[in-house]
Amino acid sequence: MTEGPRQRGSASGSAGDAAADSGKDSGGGVALKKEIGLVSACGIIVGNIIGSGIFVSPKGVMENASSVGLALIVWIVTGVITAIGALCYAELGVTIPKSGGDYSYVKDIFGGLAGFLRLWIAVLVIYPTNQAVIALTFSNYVLQPLFPTCFPPENGLRLLAAVCLLLLTWVNCSSVRWATRVQDIFTAGKLLALALIIIMGIVQICKGEYYWLEPANAFEPFKEYDVGLIALAFLQGSFAYGGWNFLNYVTEELVDPYVNLPRAIFISIPLVTFVYVFANIAYVTAMSPQELLASNAVAVTFGEKLLGVMAWIMPISVALSTFGGVNGSLFTSSRLFFAGAREGHLPSLLAMIHVKRCTPIPALLFTCLSTLLMLCTSDMYTLINYVGFINYLFYGVTVAGQIVLRIKQPDMHRPIKISLVWPVIYLLFWAFLLIFSLYSEPVVCGIGLAIMLTGVPVYFLGVYWDNKPQCIDTFVDKMTYLGQKFCVVVYPAETAASSEGSPDEGEEMEARSPLSKDGDTHKSADC
């Protein structure tokens, strides 16, 4: 596979996996701990896919599909396509068992520049803005009962969102186990809330309230069908399943990833598809399409109609769902930044972990800080529109990389090997949506591409240019050392495990990590 021009402390997939074990078993140094079991893995996928959207505004698909029946078909088809994409990622995840997800796969298959551009757009916009929006949604639903006749004050919303981010960053810095437990609990909470919605829908159907589910009425358009709008409905349905690839970001922390990665994907994606489809069915048993489209918070309106005095359950459910969503996004995005730093594409401090807790504290703090900065801006939603296209673009690039890897290295060990029919089906659907996006919103897509391409000069100046002036290297080393002292972090124990790597690579890591020389004296038994 093609490597970037400079690999600062990078390791092969097998070496990275072995490193996590060596940190526990051989005493060779601290390492990321394998603490994510099957239940927590499912919690990460389900918790990241199901945010506030299904509670607040599932109307985007309905509005563009133009009928209830076609909207349900869109939810089912996009769920199937997501499952196919996840199947492709499952093969890549066990073939290249490195944390970092599609960034790691794109970098290894297409080279350092392509991987850096994926990382650049994620660092610059995607994760900070998404986390800020989810945190603001959480604070809005928490504060709304205190301001029943008006909107909560903007500064109050941002302050509570910041408190939410700081609290969850502290949890993630303290313990991987705590972070996964929070994710498990809040994912279970949102699934219980959605189960309540689905059960109420079943009760409604048993009462005969299924007018909009009868075929004659389900496909009766409330506005004229339009091919462009239907394509937009599929695009919005695909975005609603966003987060299905997040487990690939934490591959090295999975217990038995060769088994649990694909198993978690096979459990979670069908579960989310089932929940999305039947929640929408439940909504139309209590609301007409016109009422659903007019509501700013569909689940709240649904609760007011059917739950009576218990209607408060729905806004609480949205708040809990978004709280868990912030936690899951912090957990996975910090691992992406960790992986990027380990490959030399971000400051090396972000590739270090705490000597006792074995958590990537610098990467978590960086993620938190960038999100807090986004809370201070007023252009978050505009930025999300610009880069949503780029995010989807890299899904297809990654799946195409699976085909390229099959051609380049047909004999490579693949614990899971799927038929190439599946990536081809995914790429056809992906190309259809991509071409439609370019056709319908060329300016938005063009600005998104321009934002991504600002990473090209950054790559050549910061990564490709190896012989920098001594003063720059000295300054970076001093700042790295200061960061190590402040966070009490060292490099993961890759040297002991990297039997395939060169001895020079291990020496380079030691030279760039002054604190790592006495790392073993600080290491806890948990590492």
Side-chain angles (χ1 to χ4, degrees), residues 480-503:
T480 301
Y481 184 77
L482 181 64
Q484 284 188 267
K485 284 286 190 181
F486 178 75
C487 297
V488 195
V489 292
V490 294
Y491 283 99
E494 295 198 78
T495 309
S498 187
S499 58
E500 298 174 3
S502 67

Side-chain angles (χ1 to χ4, degrees), residues 19 33 35 42 57 73 75 85 93 199 228 236 243 252 258 267 287 293 298 327 351 356-357 401 435 489 496 522:
K33 295 187 287 185
E35 290 192 346
C42 293
S57 56
I73 290 174
W75 284 113
I199 290 169
Q236 292 182 330
E252 293 172 35
Y258 296 111
I267 293 171
M287 293 178 280
L293 294 176
V298 175
N327 180 72
K356 291 185 177 180
R357 297 186 178 97
I435 291 170
V489 292
H522 296 285

Side-chain angles (χ1 to χ4, degrees), residues 2-8 111-113 343 345 459-460 463-466:
T2 306
E3 297 292 341
R6 183 172 55 160
Q7 300 298 323
R8 297 185 300 171
L113 178 59
E343 301 292 349
H345 288 173
Y459 173 79
F460 282 103
V463 179
Y464 193 87
W465 183 24
D466 211 9

Side-chain angles (χ1 to χ4, degrees), residues 499-522:
S499 58
E500 298 174 3
S502 67
D504 292 339
E505 180 181 300
E507 291 170 5
E508 181 187 359
M509 290 180 62
E510 287 291 326
R512 292 188 296 114
S513 179
L515 295 185
S516 65
K517 295 178 182 179
D518 58 352
D520 290 344
T521 63
H522 296 285

Side-chain angles (χ1 to χ4, degrees), residues 196-431:
L196 176 61
I197 292 174
I198 292 170
I199 290 169
M200 293 300 297
I202 293 172
V203 170
Q204 285 287 96
I205 291 172
C206 292
K207 290 180 178 179
E209 301 288 343
Y210 49 80
Y211 175 83
W212 291 105
L213 297 177
E214 295 176 349
N217 302 318
F219 291 94
E220 179 184 341
F222 45 83
K223 64 179 178 181
E224 189 175 345
Y225 285 123
D226 180 86
V227 175
L229 290 178
I230 292 172
L232 187 58
F234 276 104
L235 187 63
Q236 292 182 330
S238 298
F239 287 154
Y241 284 92
W244 54 267
N245 60 325
F246 277 18
L247 187 62
N248 292 69
Y249 290 168
V250 296
T251 303
E252 293 172 35
E253 293 169 84
L254 277 175
V255 176
D256 196 359
Y258 296 111
V259 174
N260 285 330
L261 176 63
R263 189 175 290 173
I265 289 172
F266 298 153
I267 293 171
S268 302
I269 304 299
L271 175 61
V272 172
T273 304
F274 173 86
V275 167
Y276 274 4
V277 172
F278 281 89
N280 278 278
I281 289 174
Y283 288 147
V284 297
T285 63
M287 293 178 280
S288 68
Q290 290 75 18
E291 288 178 301
L292 191 148
L293 294 176
S295 174
N296 289 322
V298 175
V300 174
T301 305
F302 179 86
E304 290 171 350
K305 280 179 168 286
L306 299 183
L307 296 177
V309 295
M310 300 297 289
W312 55 268
I313 291 176
M314 285 301 118
I316 293 298
S317 298
V318 177
L320 295 177
S321 177
T322 50
F323 189 81
V326 174
N327 180 72
S329 185
L330 278 172
F331 185 85
T332 52
S333 60
S334 64
R335 270 56 178 184
L336 172 61
F337 301 158
F338 168 87
R342 188 175 58 184
E343 301 292 349
H345 288 173
L346 288 175
S348 57
L349 179 65
L350 301 184
M352 300 183 193
I353 62 176
H354 194 270
V355 294
K356 291 185 177 180
R357 297 186 178 97
C358 296
T359 54
I361 288 178
L364 283 161
L365 294 178
F366 176 79
T367 307
C368 179
L369 180 61
S370 61
T371 306
L372 290 173
L373 290 174
M374 279 295 172
L375 284 176
C376 300
T377 70
S378 57
D379 298 323
M380 287 182 296
Y381 296 95
T382 305
L383 287 170
I384 287 175
N385 289 334
Y386 288 153
V387 301
F389 165 78
I390 303 300
N391 201 32
Y392 200 70
L393 170 68
F394 273 103
Y395 288 163
V397 171
T398 305
V399 173
Q402 179 186 13
I403 299 175
V404 171
L405 194 61
R406 286 280 192 95
I407 296 170
K408 282 185 174 181
Q409 300 194 33
D411 299 325
M412 189 176 185
H413 176 63
R414 293 175 172 85
I416 297 175
K417 189 173 184 178
I418 64 172
S419 169
L420 286 181
V421 170
W422 299 118
V424 169
I425 291 173
Y426 183 86
L427 287 173
L428 289 173
F429 182 81
W430 168 82

